[in-house]
Amino acid sequence: MQSNDFKNLVLPWYNGLVNLNKDLLTSSFNEIGLDFQSVIVQQLIDQHDRGHIHSISFYQQLSELSSKRFTEEGFISAYSSGINNWNEKLISFIIENYSDFNFFLMGKSNGIHHRHFEEKFQLKYGLRTNNLFEYAQYSHILGMSAQDPRFMKYFWRRTELNPEETTFLISSGQNDEINAALYRIIPIDEFLDNLYPNQHEYKSS
């Protein structure tokens, strides 16, 4: 696999740059008196991911459901705990090669996680993600689910990409937002391993 085989690379935010740890989120929510898996909590998370409720309202509604009292800062810390595991190899690859590829970012997200990641990313790398990606499309900003067919239609219209020249990189088993029958999809690990078949060829920053 050669780098020139790929012109446009599209990555998901969750389970792409950021590895979402639902087990850790469940534990963190338990500590502040919330059942992460409960129907009402998941409904509020879904509304927040779609941008249908503001982060402040999201916090306030969840605090009313909790059996414990917690501050907004404590809630943000608990909710952000599940996204502190990043795909460092992929991020290093993007930073080292963003001038050679057209990188795009898309998928499910929310205001709290997005702000937390951007702040930590800039502190660690001295860069903002908009310096690395041609275009980024987030569910909470667009105001719709990433699984909504309109989400993908909007992406194609906004970017004017040719699907035949576009490759979606996903985590293994994470293809709920992309139709594998319509587009070229490659697992992230497989892409990086094939691009750098020998470990010494890849130097993580």
Side-chain angles (χ1 to χ4, degrees):
M1 181 187 301
Q2 301 297 321
S3 62
N4 57 12
D5 292 337
F6 303 91
K7 180 177 181 180
N8 307 307
L9 297 176
V10 184
L11 297 86
W13 195 74
Y14 281 142
N15 299 309
L17 292 189
V18 176
N19 297 314
L20 184 64
N21 189 328
K22 291 185 177 181
D23 290 337
L24 186 54
L25 274 173
T26 298
S27 175
S28 295
F29 268 51
N30 284 339
E31 292 178 4
I32 59 174
L34 290 167
D35 180 1
F36 179 75
Q37 301 295 341
S38 71
V39 173
I40 189 167
V41 168
Q42 286 299 312
Q43 287 175 340
L44 287 171
I45 289 174
D46 180 64
Q47 291 178 45
H48 188 225
D49 288 348
R50 294 169 188 250
H52 291 178
I53 56 174
H54 191 274
S55 295
I56 294 176
S57 177
F58 179 59
Y59 154 70
Q60 291 173 338
Q61 291 186 61
L62 286 176
S63 65
E64 292 173 0
L65 295 173
S66 176
S67 59
K68 299 180 180 179
R69 298 187 66 179
F70 51 85
T71 64
E72 183 177 357
E73 182 180 354
F75 170 70
I76 291 175
S77 176
Y79 195 38
S80 299
S81 66
I83 63 162
N84 286 328
N85 179 24
W86 303 352
N87 191 329
E88 302 286 357
K89 184 175 181 180
L90 177 61
I91 291 172
S92 293
F93 167 75
I94 294 169
I95 291 173
E96 294 172 5
N97 297 278
Y98 73 91
S99 60
D100 299 322
F101 296 88
N102 297 322
F103 288 108
F104 298 83
L105 192 62
M106 66 176 294
K108 184 169 71 171
S109 59
N110 63 67
I112 293 174
H113 283 172
H114 188 204
R115 283 191 297 274
H116 175 81
F117 176 78
E118 288 290 341
E119 290 172 1
K120 298 295 184 182
F121 188 90
Q122 189 168 11
L123 282 173
K124 183 170 184 176
Y125 296 105
L127 294 166
R128 297 180 62 85
T129 55
N130 60 13
N131 298 133
L132 304 173
F133 293 92
E134 302 292 327
Y135 172 69
Q137 181 170 302
Y138 305 103
S139 62
H140 73 286
I141 294 177
L142 199 58
M144 68 177 69
S145 168
Q147 284 79 35
D148 189 318
R150 295 174 299 169
F151 190 84
M152 183 63 74
K153 289 179 181 178
Y154 187 88
F155 176 80
W156 291 123
R157 185 167 66 250
R158 180 65 176 78
T159 60
E160 299 183 339
L161 292 175
N162 181 348
E164 294 182 357
E165 298 177 339
T166 303
T167 300
F168 289 86
L169 303 183
I170 63 170
S171 293
S172 298
Q174 297 290 332
N175 62 352
D176 56 330
E177 297 171 12
I178 308 297
N179 189 331
L182 297 178
Y183 311 117
R184 178 163 63 175
I185 292 176
I186 299 178
I188 293 170
D189 290 342
E190 178 183 324
F191 174 80
L192 292 175
D193 288 344
N194 286 335
L195 201 58
Y196 300 98
N198 300 313
Q199 189 64 31
H200 70 272
E201 293 183 22
Y202 182 88
K203 297 179 181 178
S204 177
S205 62

